[in-house]
Amino acid sequence: MIRTGEQYRQSLRDGREIYIDGERVADVTRHAAFKPLVDVRARIYDMAHEAATRDVMTYEEGGERFAIGGRLPLAQEDWWDKRRAIDAVLDDVGGVVTRVGDETVGEMWSLYDGQDVLNEVDPQFSANIRNHVHKVVRADPFHVSANTDPKGDRSKRPQDQDPDMLLHVVKETDRGIIVRGAKYETAAAYANQAFTKPTIANWGDDKLSDYAVGFICELGSPGLKMICRSGFTGRGSVEDYPLANRFDEVDCLVVFDDVLIPWENVLFYRHTRAATFIRATLHRYSAMAFVYRLVKYADMMIGTALFNVRQTGLDKQQAVQEKLATLACYREGINAHLTSAIVMGQESPSGLLMPNQSLLMSGRVLACSQLPAMMHLARELCGGQICVTPDAASFRHPVAGKWLEKFYSVNEDWIAEDRRKLLAYGRDLLNSDYAGHRLTFHLFAQSPPFAHLAAVYRNFDWDGPLDFVRKSAGLSDRVMGTGKAPPSAKKIASAAE
Ligand SMILES: Cc1cc2nc3c(=O)[nH]c(=O)nc-3n(C[C@H](O)[C@H](O)[C@H](O)COP(=O)(O)OP(=O)(O)OC[C@H]3O[C@@H](n4cnc5c(N)ncnc54)[C@H](O)[C@@H]3O)c2cc1C
């Protein structure tokens, strides 16, 4: 089953409690801060029905059509299909949207891989994850991710401070568990459900904990309060801030004020081993779509910088060409990691096709850690005019506009209006509040840099280089068994799974 844009909009009118800029939001589908992204998400739903895009956005099974994004990856072709669907969306909407569902749903597939761990507690939990993985395909909800608690003072245990700093279970009932706390979640205000789980990485010796809880949260549930950061939409005109006004994905603090989670939505409870498992494997699928967005973001930087240096004739300079080539290497470096991660995919414990984990995780580090430098390089290539150019209204003014027309017309092909538009686009891509937020999003939204590197450490096969040096240096076989080497990917996988 695939929903229409209108059905999606209707699903958000469920009485949810949303706050932004000191006011309660009456209808999230119409509020100025949320409407652009709700419209983009609705457009993605509608693309699944339109003749021109239906085949790239959906697949058919048993006479019914389902969204490509939620399909379980079983073969390489499934990953190419997902990539084509992302391309179709980003080309259609003309920019990068990240949190629209396909990039978070894979977190559930990671837990689907941990059914043995869930069975240790209660086979009902593994049945629940199986149901939810299939339900997402059938019901086509907009699915988001909830990991990060406010956390409070990290030097203290949660029990030794306000216990709500980390989300926890306060009560069990016949119908389910009651949870309390809060999570930061991008797009929750206009999504349908969130896979909610702990951020804690180290449970020490604890086998059981009220904080070790994972569940699917229906985002219209009574007791939820979504307190959003201010949006960038409307802070400047659409002409001056073309990206902020269309692609701002609003994040919020979702407060759980004693929220009932029905038992069928509980994926694990009290079991720290299940919580540890999901933390170690959370992004094994979802990193693919998250990182692929940066290939498109790189295209936006390259296109903007190249148009600018062509306008001004600077593209003939070798030093400028080298900077453009550096941007191209960044783009192709990410592309190469993701492409080879698909080609060298690995079978997961539940029989899915995971992207090759070492290539995917090191590709994520490359893409996210180099993004600030690449944005700075693109900014440099655009020159200072991206931050000193007057706004569109001045270009329209009878007196000021004439001067701007004169100084912003470069030649017969580059009239002032096109130059103004390109510089406004570059400013919003690289310099504006929105641009800074995008950069921070990629720094943190799929966990912070130390966790990205930890994932590389867990997945790289260290035995290869060790064995090479052992032979090359003529070391004895015994050195491979000293226990001081970092464990290889295979050992980690078997320890976790
Ligand atoms: C735009 C945006 C969107 C987001 N969307 C979501 C979302 O949809 N869902 C969600 O769950 N979360 C989301 N987050 C939250 C994000 O996951 C967290 O910001 C991130 O996990 C870091 O947690 P923190 O902000 O509490 O930073 P802190 O935990 O305070 O960490 C700050 C810094 O301290 C250092 N540090 C902390 N702990 C360690 C450690 N153990 N080892 C080494 N260094 C350490 C690191 O330098 C780290 O970057 C989003 C964040 C942003 C900025």
Side-chain angles (χ1 to χ4, degrees), residues 316-335:
K316 312 287 182 303
Q317 305 272 347
Q318 189 189 332
V320 168
Q321 291 172 356
E322 283 174 11
K323 286 175 185 157
L324 287 163
T326 305
L327 283 176
C329 289
Y330 171 68
R331 192 249 188 230
E332 291 298 67
I334 309 170
N335 185 24

Side-chain angles (χ1 to χ4, degrees), residues 99 145-151 154 184-186 199 251 437 440-441 444-450:
R99 192 122 307 168
S145 169
N147 314 300
T148 307
D149 306 87
K151 297 187 281 229
R154 319 301 157 71
Y184 287 103
E185 299 175 35
T186 301
T199 12
D251 323 275
H437 189 83
T440 314
F441 181 88
F444 282 128
Q446 214 174 59
S447 66
F450 73 85

Side-chain angles (χ1 to χ4, degrees), residues 297-298 300-306 308-309 323-324 327 371-384 386 426 429-431:
Y297 204 79
M300 290 166 81
M301 291 195 284
I302 293 169
T304 306
L306 183 53
N308 181 69
V309 293
K323 286 175 185 157
L324 287 163
L327 283 176
L371 182 60
M374 293 303 119
M375 285 176 76
H376 195 61
L377 192 58
R379 186 185 286 135
E380 188 196 323
L381 283 170
C382 287
I386 59 168
L429 182 68
L430 304 165
N431 263 21

Side-chain angles (χ1 to χ4, degrees), residues 460-469 480:
F460 180 74
D461 190 352
W462 299 97
D463 286 346
L466 285 177
D467 200 41
F468 188 89
V469 171
M480 292 299 278

